[in-house]
Amino acid sequence: MNILFHRYGSICEPDIIAAFQALNFTVIEEDMEMKHKLIDGEKRVSILAEQILTQNPVFVFSINYFPYISEVCKRLNQLYVCLSVDCPVLELFSVSIRNKCNRIFLFDYNQYLQIKEENPDCIFYLPLGSNADRWDRALLPLKQCTDAETDNFANNRQLSRWRYDLSFVGSLYTEKSVYTKLPLSDFDRGFADGMIEAQLKLPGLSLIEDALPSSLTESIKAASPEFHFLPDALCNTDSYVTANYYFGMRISELERIRTLNALAENFQLDLFTRSDTSPLKKVHCHGGVSTHTQMPEIFYRSKINLNITIRSIQTGIPQRIWDVLGCQGFLLSNYQAEIPEHLEIGSDLDCYENLAELKEKAAFYLKHEDIRLAIAEHGYTSVKEKHTCLHRVISMLNTIYPNNK
């Protein structure tokens, strides 16, 4: 059976392709957007339609939702399946999500609740997962090397495996946060800054979208020539865009910078990012790393891996969590509401709810290697047994074809 897989360059695409292939699907890649980033809309539509008509797939698939794919599939009576891996995603507010050809899978439950009633038979919740087999292959030479060194140096594992005490791999959002560059009045700036600081003190709660005065939304919209909008939005998305793309990015930027600076006062902390690191003080800053080769080594060789979830992911488990565990790394993450639904806190990973608790737990786990290693091993086993990309693809297929379970 053929699957027509629309590709645009997401780092998640190879893992989902591998999962489909493991289930004996033939994956036909439609990758024009990867080769020609500026391809016009009409050409994009014609290429997709031609592929559907010639390849006769059981469904079209994409990472994240594309309204134009849904519209083409609707016209050709073709099933369209997508897995959302990002948040926020403005395209989910397109009227096209009501198309009955859609099978949309969302990893953030709050995101799912926001739009499910627009098409309740075709929109579903599904957490992300990790390609543990790929991480195993990437790390095999390193694990074999460290095992040999462990034999040579008796029980001194620090000589063989550890390279970093605490590490964080990810963006600071300095390049994505445009809020500080907006020409706002002193009143609007002061009011907005107050909302941002209040939200920073409330982890786990997202209050800005509901609390935003319409006048402030209009001021930010007027001050930003690139304010996001959908020509076919099913509702007014201005508050959503303001809360998530402007306030949300700024909150995430401040939270990551403040958290990393505070930790670096007490611990050796290594950061791997392509962001501007000038706001950081004692952090050991490295450049960006390759997702598929360098990143797994950092996860494996760090005593403690940090996860600081972007605020626009309100309840969901971000990809970083699954991948750290899939690389047999120990993870200390901010608390997310969905974590205890899929993972066991204290056995698979550990969580913190404020900076003081983060510092306390970091100090504890650096001193207790046996506990840290046991948690890392348990988390790795949990991902391998229940939370791989293959598990998620099987769940999607069981939802799409309930009679074939």
Side-chain angles (χ1 to χ4, degrees):
M1 292 184 289
N2 293 342
I3 294 173
L4 182 58
F5 198 118
H6 169 73
R7 297 198 62 183
Y8 64 95
S10 168
I11 60 173
C12 299
E13 290 167 356
D15 293 334
I16 301 300
I17 288 173
F20 280 129
Q21 290 173 335
L23 296 171
N24 295 319
F25 284 94
T26 299
V27 178
I28 300 165
E29 299 182 27
E30 187 275 291
D31 58 359
M32 183 60 68
E33 192 169 336
M34 293 178 67
K35 298 174 182 176
H36 305 284
K37 291 294 184 182
L38 299 179
I39 184 172
D40 66 77
E42 188 174 325
K43 181 75 176 293
R44 184 184 289 119
V45 167
S46 65
I47 290 172
L48 177 64
E50 182 181 359
Q51 288 275 54
I52 291 173
L53 293 172
T54 57
Q55 301 296 340
N56 192 30
V58 290
F59 54 80
V60 177
F61 184 89
S62 70
I63 296 293
N64 287 330
Y65 178 72
F66 292 83
Y68 86 89
I69 295 180
S70 178
E71 288 298 324
V72 172
C73 288
K74 175 185 175 182
R75 294 173 192 174
L76 297 179
N77 196 29
Q78 175 69 60
L79 191 65
Y80 172 41
V81 182
C82 72
L83 173 64
S84 178
V85 301
D86 291 325
C87 198
V89 180
L90 183 60
E91 289 77 10
L92 291 172
F93 292 91
S94 163
V95 292
S96 63
I97 67 165
R98 294 171 175 163
N99 291 341
K100 294 306 176 183
C101 63
N102 294 334
R103 300 295 183 270
I104 302 171
F105 293 87
L106 306 175
F107 80 98
D108 183 283
Y109 193 74
N110 193 72
Q111 184 185 56
Y112 162 74
L113 292 177
Q114 276 188 293
I115 67 166
K116 69 165 187 170
E117 294 306 323
E118 299 295 337
N119 199 350
D121 294 330
C122 302
I123 299 174
F124 312 96
Y125 165 71
L126 184 71
L128 301 176
S130 186
N131 189 344
D133 288 342
R134 177 157 61 77
W135 300 136
D136 283 345
R137 291 192 297 271
L139 289 169
L140 181 59
L142 178 59
K143 289 183 178 182
Q144 291 175 332
C145 179
T146 56
D147 287 344
E149 290 184 17
T150 299
D151 293 339
N152 292 335
F153 292 103
N155 294 322
N156 193 344
R157 291 182 62 90
Q158 188 168 356
L159 288 174
S160 60
R161 175 172 175 179
W162 309 120
R163 187 170 179 181
Y164 313 104
D165 282 355
L166 280 77
S167 71
F168 180 72
V169 180
S171 172
L172 297 180
Y173 291 101
T174 51
E175 72 280 9
K176 299 178 183 177
S177 175
V178 299
Y179 164 79
T180 57
K181 302 179 180 68
L182 298 178
L184 299 175
S185 69
D186 290 344
F187 177 83
D188 285 337
R189 178 74 66 191
F191 192 93
D193 285 348
M195 293 187 71
I196 287 170
E197 291 298 328
Q199 182 65 85
L200 279 164
K201 293 178 172 62
L202 296 170
L205 295 174
S206 184
L207 305 177
I208 284 186
E209 187 172 352
D210 291 334
L212 265 176
S214 58
S215 58
L216 182 55
T217 297
E218 288 302 315
S219 294
I220 290 176
K221 184 177 180 181
S224 177
E226 298 179 352
F227 193 90
H228 300 293
F229 77 97
L230 281 176
D232 65 339
L234 53 84
C235 61
N236 188 316
T237 59
D238 289 352
S239 293
Y240 176 85
V241 170
T242 302
N244 288 283
Y245 288 91
Y246 292 87
F247 283 65
M249 294 299 174
R250 177 59 173 166
I251 291 167
S252 297
E253 175 190 19
L254 290 174
E255 185 166 43
R256 291 188 175 188
I257 289 170
R258 293 177 184 180
T259 300
L260 296 177
N261 274 335
L263 285 173
E265 290 290 335
N266 303 101
F267 307 99
Q268 179 174 313
L269 175 61
D270 288 82
L271 169 68
F272 302 85
T273 187
R274 293 182 174 87
S275 300
D276 173 20
T277 59
S278 60
L280 301 176
K281 297 174 183 177
K282 298 181 180 180
V283 178
H284 298 277
C285 298
H286 310 261
V289 294
S290 166
T291 301
H292 294 151
T293 56
Q294 295 170 300
M295 186 184 77
E297 179 178 348
I298 294 166
F299 289 163
Y300 181 70
R301 301 194 74 173
S302 298
K303 293 179 181 178
I304 297 175
N305 292 280
L306 299 171
N307 174 61
I308 309 168
T309 306
I310 181 175
R311 283 299 185 98
S312 54
I313 301 176
Q314 295 185 30
T315 60
I317 303 177
Q319 188 65 53
R320 184 185 295 101
I321 289 182
W322 299 113
D323 287 342
V324 170
L325 301 188
C327 292
Q328 207 172 345
F330 173 81
L331 180 68
L332 190 51
S333 172
N334 68 288
Y335 180 81
Q336 289 285 106
E338 292 176 44
I339 289 177
E341 297 179 18
H342 304 285
L343 297 165
E344 187 175 349
I345 297 173
S347 294
D348 293 316
L349 75 168
D350 207 349
C351 296
Y352 65 90
E353 296 197 26
N354 53 58
L355 187 54
E357 187 178 20
L358 171 58
K359 289 181 176 180
E360 180 182 335
K361 289 192 172 184
F364 173 84
Y365 285 113
L366 287 175
K367 292 178 181 177
H368 294 84
E369 182 167 302
D370 54 339
I371 299 175
R372 196 179 71 237
L373 287 171
I375 292 174
E377 182 63 31
H378 197 279
Y380 169 73
T381 301
S382 293
V383 167
K384 292 269 287 187
E385 292 181 350
K386 295 180 287 187
H387 303 294
T388 67
C389 294
L390 182 58
H391 287 107
R392 301 305 187 236
V393 166
I394 290 172
S395 293
M396 280 194 288
L397 293 172
N398 286 339
T399 301
I400 297 167
Y401 305 109
N403 296 328
N404 293 336
K405 291 183 181 180

